[in-house]
Amino acid sequence: MGSYDREISAAAVILAETKKAAAFCGSGVSAESGISTFRDPGGIWERINPMEAGTSGGLISSLAKNPEKLMGIFFELLEAFEKAECNPGHLALADLEKMGILETVITQNVDNLQNEAGSGNIIEMHGNLFRMACLSCGRKKKLDRKPLILYLKQTLRNLKDYSLESLVTLAPRCDACGSIMRPDIVMFGEAVQDLPRAFEAGQDCDVMLVLGTSGVVYPAAELPFEAKRKGADIIVINPNENPFEEITDVYIPMKTGVALPAIVDKIK
Ligand code: OAD
Ligand code: ZN
């Protein structure tokens, strides 16, 4: 198995001995599902300015200023989210949970793929694109990924323009109060979700898998450091440089979709 066999084995040995591992995931885990990461070359933040489109206020004014550009990128993202299927990395994390090794997956991803892979205990710090939240009463409602995307693609094509007024007509309505709902994701400047639970999971684990994240968005990126302070072993899987070097016990510079199944195979 390639040149990192030693690292894969070292990770397998550490994981085989624990029942209290946690995974901390970033967009790299879904890259092999065809979903673009944010900061790799050609990533989402190279194509849209996060300060313009990464906040809810910014998104509204960018839409008003240049709706065609933003909607063009939005359509491409919708296509990617529609075609995506969970990859061997997501499935290996679900396997590790079933094997009684992995307690929690803490993810920054909003794509729902870790749920679809069958993991039971997932903390989605940046929310979920396919869960709607009511703007008035806060009630939440989970929708199915593929039917929702089909509906959006069809209705967006039939809109007369992409003004805020027109787009709002597509928003689902809250069953409880009738107000409009928006995707329950965390934009810049908004509070992350489930922070106490995420920190608890980071502090309680004795091994943390740090997977496919550039580790630049806080407070999420603090979790591996918190886990290390509490004595956890840190296993990092990321083909590129990352800011966790000084706390890393085992570093596997590979794609998660390749390395994670290889680790599971070694443990079995
Ligand atoms: P980034 O785009 O910042 O980082 C992606 C990381 O994945 C990089 O370190 C890559 O080297 C690595 N990577 C790429 N392909 C990989 C693969 N196949 N296997 C393993 N690793 C791979 O994405 P995040 O760290 O997820 O926030 O970004 C964190 C947050 O920034 C996101 O949750 C999002 C964004 O702004 C919100 O939406 C609130
Ligand atoms: Zn409501």
Side-chain angles (χ1 to χ4, degrees), residues 80-116:
F81 277 115
E82 185 187 5
K83 291 201 190 104
E85 301 291 347
C86 43
N87 68 53
H90 297 114
L91 294 170
L93 290 177
D95 280 346
L96 286 172
E97 183 180 305
K98 289 184 197 108
M99 291 157 80
I101 292 170
L102 190 68
E103 267 191 339
T104 315
V105 176
I106 307 161
T107 186
Q108 299 166 89
N109 300 342
V110 299
D111 54 33
N112 202 50
L113 293 179
Q114 198 57 55
N115 295 285
E116 292 174 31

PDB file of all heavy atoms in Angstrom, residues 80-116:
ATOM      1  N   ALA A  80     -23.013  20.085  -8.296  1.00  0.00           N
ATOM      2  CA  ALA A  80     -22.044  19.257  -7.564  1.00  0.00           C
ATOM      3  C   ALA A  80     -22.718  18.591  -6.367  1.00  0.00           C
ATOM      4  O   ALA A  80     -22.531  17.397  -6.111  1.00  0.00           O
ATOM      5  CB  ALA A  80     -20.869  20.111  -7.108  1.00  0.00           C
ATOM      6  N   PHE A  81     -23.528  19.352  -5.645  1.00  0.00           N
ATOM      7  CA  PHE A  81     -24.231  18.784  -4.482  1.00  0.00           C
ATOM      8  C   PHE A  81     -25.240  17.720  -4.912  1.00  0.00           C
ATOM      9  O   PHE A  81     -25.506  16.783  -4.179  1.00  0.00           O
ATOM     10  CB  PHE A  81     -24.947  19.884  -3.691  1.00  0.00           C
ATOM     11  CG  PHE A  81     -24.051  20.610  -2.732  1.00  0.00           C
ATOM     12  CD1 PHE A  81     -23.773  21.951  -2.896  1.00  0.00           C
ATOM     13  CD2 PHE A  81     -23.484  19.945  -1.658  1.00  0.00           C
ATOM     14  CE1 PHE A  81     -22.940  22.625  -2.009  1.00  0.00           C
ATOM     15  CE2 PHE A  81     -22.653  20.598  -0.763  1.00  0.00           C
ATOM     16  CZ  PHE A  81     -22.378  21.949  -0.946  1.00  0.00           C
ATOM     17  N   GLU A  82     -25.805  17.900  -6.106  1.00  0.00           N
ATOM     18  CA  GLU A  82     -26.785  16.913  -6.577  1.00  0.00           C
ATOM     19  C   GLU A  82     -26.106  15.593  -6.938  1.00  0.00           C
ATOM     20  O   GLU A  82     -26.572  14.517  -6.596  1.00  0.00           O
ATOM     21  CB  GLU A  82     -27.531  17.470  -7.799  1.00  0.00           C
ATOM     22  CG  GLU A  82     -28.635  16.530  -8.254  1.00  0.00           C
ATOM     23  CD  GLU A  82     -29.275  16.972  -9.564  1.00  0.00           C
ATOM     24  OE1 GLU A  82     -28.805  17.943 -10.173  1.00  0.00           O
ATOM     25  OE2 GLU A  82     -30.243  16.311  -9.953  1.00  0.00           O
ATOM     26  N   LYS A  83     -24.957  15.711  -7.612  1.00  0.00           N
ATOM     27  CA  LYS A  83     -24.284  14.489  -8.091  1.00  0.00           C
ATOM     28  C   LYS A  83     -23.534  13.763  -6.985  1.00  0.00           C
ATOM     29  O   LYS A  83     -23.247  12.577  -7.093  1.00  0.00           O
ATOM     30  CB  LYS A  83     -23.276  14.862  -9.186  1.00  0.00           C
ATOM     31  CG  LYS A  83     -23.922  15.324 -10.467  1.00  0.00           C
ATOM     32  CD  LYS A  83     -22.928  15.179 -11.623  1.00  0.00           C
ATOM     33  CE  LYS A  83     -23.449  15.847 -12.880  1.00  0.00           C
ATOM     34  NZ  LYS A  83     -22.797  17.126 -13.154  1.00  0.00           N
ATOM     35  N   ALA A  84     -23.194  14.490  -5.917  1.00  0.00           N
ATOM     36  CA  ALA A  84     -22.294  13.920  -4.903  1.00  0.00           C
ATOM     37  C   ALA A  84     -22.872  12.668  -4.238  1.00  0.00           C
ATOM     38  O   ALA A  84     -24.059  12.595  -3.959  1.00  0.00           O
ATOM     39  CB  ALA A  84     -22.015  14.981  -3.845  1.00  0.00           C
ATOM     40  N   GLU A  85     -22.000  11.709  -4.022  1.00  0.00           N
ATOM     41  CA  GLU A  85     -22.338  10.536  -3.203  1.00  0.00           C
ATOM     42  C   GLU A  85     -21.250  10.424  -2.153  1.00  0.00           C
ATOM     43  O   GLU A  85     -20.123  10.853  -2.387  1.00  0.00           O
ATOM     44  CB  GLU A  85     -22.326   9.251  -4.045  1.00  0.00           C
ATOM     45  CG  GLU A  85     -23.293   9.238  -5.220  1.00  0.00           C
ATOM     46  CD  GLU A  85     -24.763   9.185  -4.794  1.00  0.00           C
ATOM     47  OE1 GLU A  85     -25.028   8.924  -3.612  1.00  0.00           O
ATOM     48  OE2 GLU A  85     -25.624   9.439  -5.657  1.00  0.00           O
ATOM     49  N   CYS A  86     -21.577   9.823  -1.002  1.00  0.00           N
ATOM     50  CA  CYS A  86     -20.528   9.708  -0.002  1.00  0.00           C
ATOM     51  C   CYS A  86     -19.407   8.829  -0.561  1.00  0.00           C
ATOM     52  O   CYS A  86     -19.647   7.919  -1.353  1.00  0.00           O
ATOM     53  CB  CYS A  86     -21.051   9.212   1.334  1.00  0.00           C
ATOM     54  SG  CYS A  86     -22.209   7.884   1.250  1.00  0.00           S
ATOM     55  N   ASN A  87     -18.175   9.146  -0.191  1.00  0.00           N
ATOM     56  CA  ASN A  87     -17.006   8.461  -0.758  1.00  0.00           C
ATOM     57  C   ASN A  87     -16.426   7.475   0.272  1.00  0.00           C
ATOM     58  O   ASN A  87     -16.894   7.416   1.422  1.00  0.00           O
ATOM     59  CB  ASN A  87     -15.996   9.509  -1.266  1.00  0.00           C
ATOM     60  CG  ASN A  87     -15.352  10.298  -0.149  1.00  0.00           C
ATOM     61  OD1 ASN A  87     -14.803   9.726   0.797  1.00  0.00           O
ATOM     62  ND2 ASN A  87     -15.409  11.625  -0.227  1.00  0.00           N
ATOM     63  N   PRO A  88     -15.420   6.697  -0.112  1.00  0.00           N
ATOM     64  CA  PRO A  88     -14.876   5.690   0.815  1.00  0.00           C
ATOM     65  C   PRO A  88     -14.392   6.268   2.152  1.00  0.00           C
ATOM     66  O   PRO A  88     -14.367   5.558   3.164  1.00  0.00           O
ATOM     67  CB  PRO A  88     -13.715   5.087   0.019  1.00  0.00           C
ATOM     68  CG  PRO A  88     -14.105   5.272  -1.419  1.00  0.00           C
ATOM     69  CD  PRO A  88     -14.811   6.593  -1.460  1.00  0.00           C
ATOM     70  N   GLY A  89     -14.024   7.545   2.182  1.00  0.00           N
ATOM     71  CA  GLY A  89     -13.610   8.176   3.444  1.00  0.00           C
ATOM     72  C   GLY A  89     -14.792   8.313   4.399  1.00  0.00           C
ATOM     73  O   GLY A  89     -14.709   7.946   5.584  1.00  0.00           O
ATOM     74  N   HIS A  90     -15.924   8.830   3.897  1.00  0.00           N
ATOM     75  CA  HIS A  90     -17.127   8.926   4.734  1.00  0.00           C
ATOM     76  C   HIS A  90     -17.524   7.534   5.239  1.00  0.00           C
ATOM     77  O   HIS A  90     -17.875   7.354   6.420  1.00  0.00           O
ATOM     78  CB  HIS A  90     -18.324   9.462   3.927  1.00  0.00           C
ATOM     79  CG  HIS A  90     -18.166  10.853   3.382  1.00  0.00           C
ATOM     80  ND1 HIS A  90     -18.092  11.114   2.039  1.00  0.00           N
ATOM     81  CD2 HIS A  90     -18.086  12.059   3.997  1.00  0.00           C
ATOM     82  CE1 HIS A  90     -17.986  12.424   1.842  1.00  0.00           C
ATOM     83  NE2 HIS A  90     -17.967  13.023   3.018  1.00  0.00           N
ATOM     84  N   LEU A  91     -17.475   6.543   4.318  1.00  0.00           N
ATOM     85  CA  LEU A  91     -17.924   5.190   4.690  1.00  0.00           C
ATOM     86  C   LEU A  91     -16.992   4.569   5.728  1.00  0.00           C
ATOM     87  O   LEU A  91     -17.451   3.874   6.647  1.00  0.00           O
ATOM     88  CB  LEU A  91     -18.007   4.304   3.430  1.00  0.00           C
ATOM     89  CG  LEU A  91     -19.093   4.748   2.433  1.00  0.00           C
ATOM     90  CD1 LEU A  91     -18.953   3.997   1.110  1.00  0.00           C
ATOM     91  CD2 LEU A  91     -20.500   4.531   3.012  1.00  0.00           C
ATOM     92  N   ALA A  92     -15.687   4.848   5.603  1.00  0.00           N
ATOM     93  CA  ALA A  92     -14.731   4.295   6.577  1.00  0.00           C
ATOM     94  C   ALA A  92     -14.987   4.887   7.967  1.00  0.00           C
ATOM     95  O   ALA A  92     -14.870   4.182   8.986  1.00  0.00           O
ATOM     96  CB  ALA A  92     -13.300   4.575   6.127  1.00  0.00           C
ATOM     97  N   LEU A  93     -15.373   6.164   8.027  1.00  0.00           N
ATOM     98  CA  LEU A  93     -15.688   6.766   9.342  1.00  0.00           C
ATOM     99  C   LEU A  93     -16.925   6.085   9.940  1.00  0.00           C
ATOM    100  O   LEU A  93     -16.976   5.818  11.145  1.00  0.00           O
ATOM    101  CB  LEU A  93     -15.916   8.273   9.207  1.00  0.00           C
ATOM    102  CG  LEU A  93     -14.672   9.114   8.900  1.00  0.00           C
ATOM    103  CD1 LEU A  93     -15.045  10.584   8.729  1.00  0.00           C
ATOM    104  CD2 LEU A  93     -13.612   8.969  10.003  1.00  0.00           C
ATOM    105  N   ALA A  94     -17.913   5.817   9.090  1.00  0.00           N
ATOM    106  CA  ALA A  94     -19.106   5.102   9.587  1.00  0.00           C
ATOM    107  C   ALA A  94     -18.720   3.705  10.072  1.00  0.00           C
ATOM    108  O   ALA A  94     -19.204   3.229  11.108  1.00  0.00           O
ATOM    109  CB  ALA A  94     -20.172   5.035   8.494  1.00  0.00           C
ATOM    110  N   ASP A  95     -17.798   3.042   9.345  1.00  0.00           N
ATOM    111  CA  ASP A  95     -17.315   1.712   9.767  1.00  0.00           C
ATOM    112  C   ASP A  95     -16.639   1.791  11.133  1.00  0.00           C
ATOM    113  O   ASP A  95     -16.874   0.956  12.008  1.00  0.00           O
ATOM    114  CB  ASP A  95     -16.261   1.176   8.775  1.00  0.00           C
ATOM    115  CG  ASP A  95     -16.891   0.593   7.529  1.00  0.00           C
ATOM    116  OD1 ASP A  95     -18.122   0.364   7.542  1.00  0.00           O
ATOM    117  OD2 ASP A  95     -16.153   0.387   6.540  1.00  0.00           O
ATOM    118  N   LEU A  96     -15.777   2.808  11.305  1.00  0.00           N
ATOM    119  CA  LEU A  96     -15.049   2.938  12.580  1.00  0.00           C
ATOM    120  C   LEU A  96     -16.030   3.119  13.734  1.00  0.00           C
ATOM    121  O   LEU A  96     -15.795   2.644  14.851  1.00  0.00           O
ATOM    122  CB  LEU A  96     -14.055   4.108  12.520  1.00  0.00           C
ATOM    123  CG  LEU A  96     -12.789   3.865  11.696  1.00  0.00           C
ATOM    124  CD1 LEU A  96     -11.986   5.162  11.543  1.00  0.00           C
ATOM    125  CD2 LEU A  96     -11.906   2.774  12.340  1.00  0.00           C
ATOM    126  N   GLU A  97     -17.142   3.809  13.470  1.00  0.00           N
ATOM    127  CA  GLU A  97     -18.163   3.952  14.522  1.00  0.00           C
ATOM    128  C   GLU A  97     -18.804   2.594  14.823  1.00  0.00           C
ATOM    129  O   GLU A  97     -18.931   2.207  15.987  1.00  0.00           O
ATOM    130  CB  GLU A  97     -19.216   4.975  14.080  1.00  0.00           C
ATOM    131  CG  GLU A  97     -20.282   5.240  15.143  1.00  0.00           C
ATOM    132  CD  GLU A  97     -21.323   6.255  14.683  1.00  0.00           C
ATOM    133  OE1 GLU A  97     -20.954   7.372  14.293  1.00  0.00           O
ATOM    134  OE2 GLU A  97     -22.520   5.905  14.726  1.00  0.00           O
ATOM    135  N   LYS A  98     -19.151   1.861  13.766  1.00  0.00           N
ATOM    136  CA  LYS A  98     -19.785   0.540  13.968  1.00  0.00           C
ATOM    137  C   LYS A  98     -18.831  -0.430  14.667  1.00  0.00           C
ATOM    138  O   LYS A  98     -19.253  -1.319  15.392  1.00  0.00           O
ATOM    139  CB  LYS A  98     -20.233  -0.052  12.622  1.00  0.00           C
ATOM    140  CG  LYS A  98     -21.431   0.687  12.055  1.00  0.00           C
ATOM    141  CD  LYS A  98     -21.956   0.072  10.761  1.00  0.00           C
ATOM    142  CE  LYS A  98     -22.858   1.073  10.056  1.00  0.00           C
ATOM    143  NZ  LYS A  98     -22.236   1.657   8.842  1.00  0.00           N
ATOM    144  N   MET A  99     -17.545  -0.255  14.454  1.00  0.00           N
ATOM    145  CA  MET A  99     -16.550  -1.123  15.098  1.00  0.00           C
ATOM    146  C   MET A  99     -16.333  -0.745  16.569  1.00  0.00           C
ATOM    147  O   MET A  99     -15.515  -1.350  17.266  1.00  0.00           O
ATOM    148  CB  MET A  99     -15.208  -1.031  14.340  1.00  0.00           C
ATOM    149  CG  MET A  99     -15.256  -1.654  12.944  1.00  0.00           C
ATOM    150  SD  MET A  99     -13.971  -0.989  11.826  1.00  0.00           S
ATOM    151  CE  MET A  99     -12.536  -1.905  12.356  1.00  0.00           C
ATOM    152  N   GLY A 100     -17.023   0.289  17.024  1.00  0.00           N
ATOM    153  CA  GLY A 100     -16.916   0.693  18.431  1.00  0.00           C
ATOM    154  C   GLY A 100     -15.673   1.504  18.737  1.00  0.00           C
ATOM    155  O   GLY A 100     -15.273   1.642  19.900  1.00  0.00           O
ATOM    156  N   ILE A 101     -15.033   2.063  17.705  1.00  0.00           N
ATOM    157  CA  ILE A 101     -13.787   2.815  17.884  1.00  0.00           C
ATOM    158  C   ILE A 101     -14.044   4.322  17.908  1.00  0.00           C
ATOM    159  O   ILE A 101     -13.529   5.055  18.748  1.00  0.00           O
ATOM    160  CB  ILE A 101     -12.804   2.451  16.729  1.00  0.00           C
ATOM    161  CG1 ILE A 101     -12.352   0.994  16.884  1.00  0.00           C
ATOM    162  CG2 ILE A 101     -11.631   3.425  16.680  1.00  0.00           C
ATOM    163  CD1 ILE A 101     -11.576   0.450  15.692  1.00  0.00           C
ATOM    164  N   LEU A 102     -14.866   4.758  16.968  1.00  0.00           N
ATOM    165  CA  LEU A 102     -15.114   6.204  16.806  1.00  0.00           C
ATOM    166  C   LEU A 102     -16.424   6.564  17.502  1.00  0.00           C
ATOM    167  O   LEU A 102     -17.473   6.014  17.188  1.00  0.00           O
ATOM    168  CB  LEU A 102     -15.213   6.517  15.297  1.00  0.00           C
ATOM    169  CG  LEU A 102     -15.234   7.976  14.883  1.00  0.00           C
ATOM    170  CD1 LEU A 102     -13.881   8.632  15.164  1.00  0.00           C
ATOM    171  CD2 LEU A 102     -15.537   8.089  13.382  1.00  0.00           C
ATOM    172  N   GLU A 103     -16.318   7.498  18.458  1.00  0.00           N
ATOM    173  CA  GLU A 103     -17.536   7.906  19.175  1.00  0.00           C
ATOM    174  C   GLU A 103     -18.295   9.004  18.441  1.00  0.00           C
ATOM    175  O   GLU A 103     -19.518   9.024  18.414  1.00  0.00           O
ATOM    176  CB  GLU A 103     -17.148   8.445  20.556  1.00  0.00           C
ATOM    177  CG  GLU A 103     -17.179   7.400  21.632  1.00  0.00           C
ATOM    178  CD  GLU A 103     -17.052   8.022  23.014  1.00  0.00           C
ATOM    179  OE1 GLU A 103     -16.559   9.160  23.151  1.00  0.00           O
ATOM    180  OE2 GLU A 103     -17.448   7.339  23.966  1.00  0.00           O
ATOM    181  N   THR A 104     -17.545   9.974  17.903  1.00  0.00           N
ATOM    182  CA  THR A 104     -18.177  11.185  17.373  1.00  0.00           C
ATOM    183  C   THR A 104     -17.481  11.651  16.104  1.00  0.00           C
ATOM    184  O   THR A 104     -16.259  11.593  16.021  1.00  0.00           O
ATOM    185  CB  THR A 104     -18.015  12.353  18.394  1.00  0.00           C
ATOM    186  OG1 THR A 104     -18.324  11.863  19.698  1.00  0.00           O
ATOM    187  CG2 THR A 104     -18.929  13.510  18.063  1.00  0.00           C
ATOM    188  N   VAL A 105     -18.267  12.110  15.166  1.00  0.00           N
ATOM    189  CA  VAL A 105     -17.705  12.846  14.024  1.00  0.00           C
ATOM    190  C   VAL A 105     -18.095  14.307  14.197  1.00  0.00           C
ATOM    191  O   VAL A 105     -19.276  14.639  14.271  1.00  0.00           O
ATOM    192  CB  VAL A 105     -18.244  12.334  12.667  1.00  0.00           C
ATOM    193  CG1 VAL A 105     -17.709  13.203  11.527  1.00  0.00           C
ATOM    194  CG2 VAL A 105     -17.869  10.878  12.439  1.00  0.00           C
ATOM    195  N   ILE A 106     -17.090  15.159  14.309  1.00  0.00           N
ATOM    196  CA  ILE A 106     -17.343  16.599  14.358  1.00  0.00           C
ATOM    197  C   ILE A 106     -17.004  17.104  12.959  1.00  0.00           C
ATOM    198  O   ILE A 106     -15.865  16.951  12.506  1.00  0.00           O
ATOM    199  CB  ILE A 106     -16.416  17.291  15.385  1.00  0.00           C
ATOM    200  CG1 ILE A 106     -16.517  16.601  16.746  1.00  0.00           C
ATOM    201  CG2 ILE A 106     -16.747  18.777  15.485  1.00  0.00           C
ATOM    202  CD1 ILE A 106     -15.337  16.915  17.666  1.00  0.00           C
ATOM    203  N   THR A 107     -17.977  17.652  12.262  1.00  0.00           N
ATOM    204  CA  THR A 107     -17.671  18.091  10.894  1.00  0.00           C
ATOM    205  C   THR A 107     -17.972  19.567  10.698  1.00  0.00           C
ATOM    206  O   THR A 107     -18.886  20.116  11.312  1.00  0.00           O
ATOM    207  CB  THR A 107     -18.412  17.227   9.839  1.00  0.00           C
ATOM    208  OG1 THR A 107     -17.958  17.608   8.536  1.00  0.00           O
ATOM    209  CG2 THR A 107     -19.925  17.381   9.910  1.00  0.00           C
ATOM    210  N   GLN A 108     -17.153  20.173   9.830  1.00  0.00           N
ATOM    211  CA  GLN A 108     -17.420  21.552   9.415  1.00  0.00           C
ATOM    212  C   GLN A 108     -18.222  21.547   8.117  1.00  0.00           C
ATOM    213  O   GLN A 108     -18.583  22.595   7.603  1.00  0.00           O
ATOM    214  CB  GLN A 108     -16.093  22.290   9.175  1.00  0.00           C
ATOM    215  CG  GLN A 108     -15.211  22.370  10.397  1.00  0.00           C
ATOM    216  CD  GLN A 108     -13.785  22.800  10.020  1.00  0.00           C
ATOM    217  OE1 GLN A 108     -13.463  23.979   9.963  1.00  0.00           O
ATOM    218  NE2 GLN A 108     -12.927  21.826   9.760  1.00  0.00           N
ATOM    219  N   ASN A 109     -18.465  20.350   7.573  1.00  0.00           N
ATOM    220  CA  ASN A 109     -19.126  20.274   6.270  1.00  0.00           C
ATOM    221  C   ASN A 109     -20.638  20.361   6.417  1.00  0.00           C
ATOM    222  O   ASN A 109     -21.207  19.897   7.400  1.00  0.00           O
ATOM    223  CB  ASN A 109     -18.741  18.974   5.552  1.00  0.00           C
ATOM    224  CG  ASN A 109     -17.247  18.900   5.322  1.00  0.00           C
ATOM    225  OD1 ASN A 109     -16.568  19.928   5.386  1.00  0.00           O
ATOM    226  ND2 ASN A 109     -16.733  17.714   5.072  1.00  0.00           N
ATOM    227  N   VAL A 110     -21.271  20.944   5.388  1.00  0.00           N
ATOM    228  CA  VAL A 110     -22.724  21.178   5.441  1.00  0.00           C
ATOM    229  C   VAL A 110     -23.452  20.284   4.435  1.00  0.00           C
ATOM    230  O   VAL A 110     -24.638  20.452   4.198  1.00  0.00           O
ATOM    231  CB  VAL A 110     -23.054  22.662   5.132  1.00  0.00           C
ATOM    232  CG1 VAL A 110     -22.403  23.586   6.157  1.00  0.00           C
ATOM    233  CG2 VAL A 110     -22.622  23.070   3.717  1.00  0.00           C
ATOM    234  N   ASP A 111     -22.711  19.317   3.836  1.00  0.00           N
ATOM    235  CA  ASP A 111     -23.237  18.606   2.668  1.00  0.00           C
ATOM    236  C   ASP A 111     -24.070  17.377   2.992  1.00  0.00           C
ATOM    237  O   ASP A 111     -24.579  16.713   2.091  1.00  0.00           O
ATOM    238  CB  ASP A 111     -22.075  18.217   1.738  1.00  0.00           C
ATOM    239  CG  ASP A 111     -20.991  17.415   2.478  1.00  0.00           C
ATOM    240  OD1 ASP A 111     -21.309  16.648   3.411  1.00  0.00           O
ATOM    241  OD2 ASP A 111     -19.805  17.574   2.117  1.00  0.00           O
ATOM    242  N   ASN A 112     -24.209  17.020   4.241  1.00  0.00           N
ATOM    243  CA  ASN A 112     -25.025  15.881   4.702  1.00  0.00           C
ATOM    244  C   ASN A 112     -24.433  14.513   4.359  1.00  0.00           C
ATOM    245  O   ASN A 112     -25.037  13.486   4.633  1.00  0.00           O
ATOM    246  CB  ASN A 112     -26.450  15.978   4.111  1.00  0.00           C
ATOM    247  CG  ASN A 112     -27.463  15.190   4.918  1.00  0.00           C
ATOM    248  OD1 ASN A 112     -27.520  15.337   6.148  1.00  0.00           O
ATOM    249  ND2 ASN A 112     -28.241  14.331   4.286  1.00  0.00           N
ATOM    250  N   LEU A 113     -23.251  14.482   3.721  1.00  0.00           N
ATOM    251  CA  LEU A 113     -22.742  13.196   3.225  1.00  0.00           C
ATOM    252  C   LEU A 113     -22.342  12.241   4.352  1.00  0.00           C
ATOM    253  O   LEU A 113     -22.466  11.031   4.221  1.00  0.00           O
ATOM    254  CB  LEU A 113     -21.565  13.419   2.265  1.00  0.00           C
ATOM    255  CG  LEU A 113     -21.949  14.095   0.950  1.00  0.00           C
ATOM    256  CD1 LEU A 113     -20.710  14.293   0.072  1.00  0.00           C
ATOM    257  CD2 LEU A 113     -23.000  13.296   0.189  1.00  0.00           C
ATOM    258  N   GLN A 114     -21.868  12.782   5.479  1.00  0.00           N
ATOM    259  CA  GLN A 114     -21.489  11.890   6.582  1.00  0.00           C
ATOM    260  C   GLN A 114     -22.728  11.202   7.173  1.00  0.00           C
ATOM    261  O   GLN A 114     -22.672  10.038   7.549  1.00  0.00           O
ATOM    262  CB  GLN A 114     -20.718  12.673   7.660  1.00  0.00           C
ATOM    263  CG  GLN A 114     -19.927  11.783   8.600  1.00  0.00           C
ATOM    264  CD  GLN A 114     -18.915  10.888   7.873  1.00  0.00           C
ATOM    265  OE1 GLN A 114     -18.075  11.368   7.120  1.00  0.00           O
ATOM    266  NE2 GLN A 114     -19.021   9.580   8.064  1.00  0.00           N
ATOM    267  N   ASN A 115     -23.857  11.927   7.204  1.00  0.00           N
ATOM    268  CA  ASN A 115     -25.124  11.297   7.625  1.00  0.00           C
ATOM    269  C   ASN A 115     -25.489  10.176   6.663  1.00  0.00           C
ATOM    270  O   ASN A 115     -25.886   9.089   7.075  1.00  0.00           O
ATOM    271  CB  ASN A 115     -26.272  12.321   7.606  1.00  0.00           C
ATOM    272  CG  ASN A 115     -26.075  13.430   8.612  1.00  0.00           C
ATOM    273  OD1 ASN A 115     -26.253  13.216   9.787  1.00  0.00           O
ATOM    274  ND2 ASN A 115     -25.691  14.606   8.144  1.00  0.00           N
ATOM    275  N   GLU A 116     -25.369  10.481   5.369  1.00  0.00           N
ATOM    276  CA  GLU A 116     -25.774   9.499   4.354  1.00  0.00           C
ATOM    277  C   GLU A 116     -24.862   8.278   4.367  1.00  0.00           C
ATOM    278  O   GLU A 116     -25.247   7.203   3.940  1.00  0.00           O
ATOM    279  CB  GLU A 116     -25.810  10.158   2.967  1.00  0.00           C
ATOM    280  CG  GLU A 116     -26.932  11.188   2.888  1.00  0.00           C
ATOM    281  CD  GLU A 116     -26.957  11.998   1.592  1.00  0.00           C
ATOM    282  OE1 GLU A 116     -26.560  11.486   0.538  1.00  0.00           O
ATOM    283  OE2 GLU A 116     -27.389  13.169   1.658  1.00  0.00           O
TER     284      GLU A 116
END
